[in-house]
Amino acid sequence: LADGLEYHILNKNGLKIGVFSLAEEEWIDTLYPYYKQICEYIPFIDFAGVMVRKLREEEKCDIVIALTHMMKYN
């Protein structure tokens, strides 16, 4: 949404750090209730798995951080 990046990579003290964000569907509804008309929601557990693999395997990140604003615990 809003031309946001899928992830960001930082290099600090010789470490490659990958950062991505997660949100539960109910939270997105509070920001933009019509998002379903412009994009598809991917369940956060599924998306986290994809991003961790991508950042670890393809981008070779030493550390992966998920920034979240969520209330669900699975």
Side-chain angles (χ1 to χ4, degrees):
L1 293 174
D3 294 326
L5 299 174
E6 187 175 34
Y7 60 87
H8 185 73
I9 296 177
L10 306 161
N11 290 290
K12 297 288 182 184
N13 299 323
L15 293 173
K16 194 170 182 181
I17 305 166
V19 182
F20 68 98
S21 64
L22 294 175
E24 55 198 9
E25 191 168 15
E26 294 81 8
W27 188 79
I28 296 171
D29 281 334
T30 67
L31 295 176
Y32 188 70
Y34 307 107
Y35 79 91
K36 291 177 184 173
Q37 296 171 5
I38 60 172
C39 64
E40 175 187 354
Y41 177 78
I42 300 170
F44 60 88
I45 295 292
D46 298 337
F47 186 73
V50 168
M51 291 308 299
V52 168
R53 279 188 296 281
K54 182 174 193 166
L55 291 169
R56 287 279 191 185
E57 297 171 10
E58 293 177 25
E59 298 290 348
K60 306 297 185 206
C61 290
D62 301 297
I63 298 170
V64 175
I65 299 171
L67 296 178
T68 72
H69 186 81
M70 298 171 39
M71 296 175 59
K72 287 185 178 177
Y73 303 99
N74 290 348

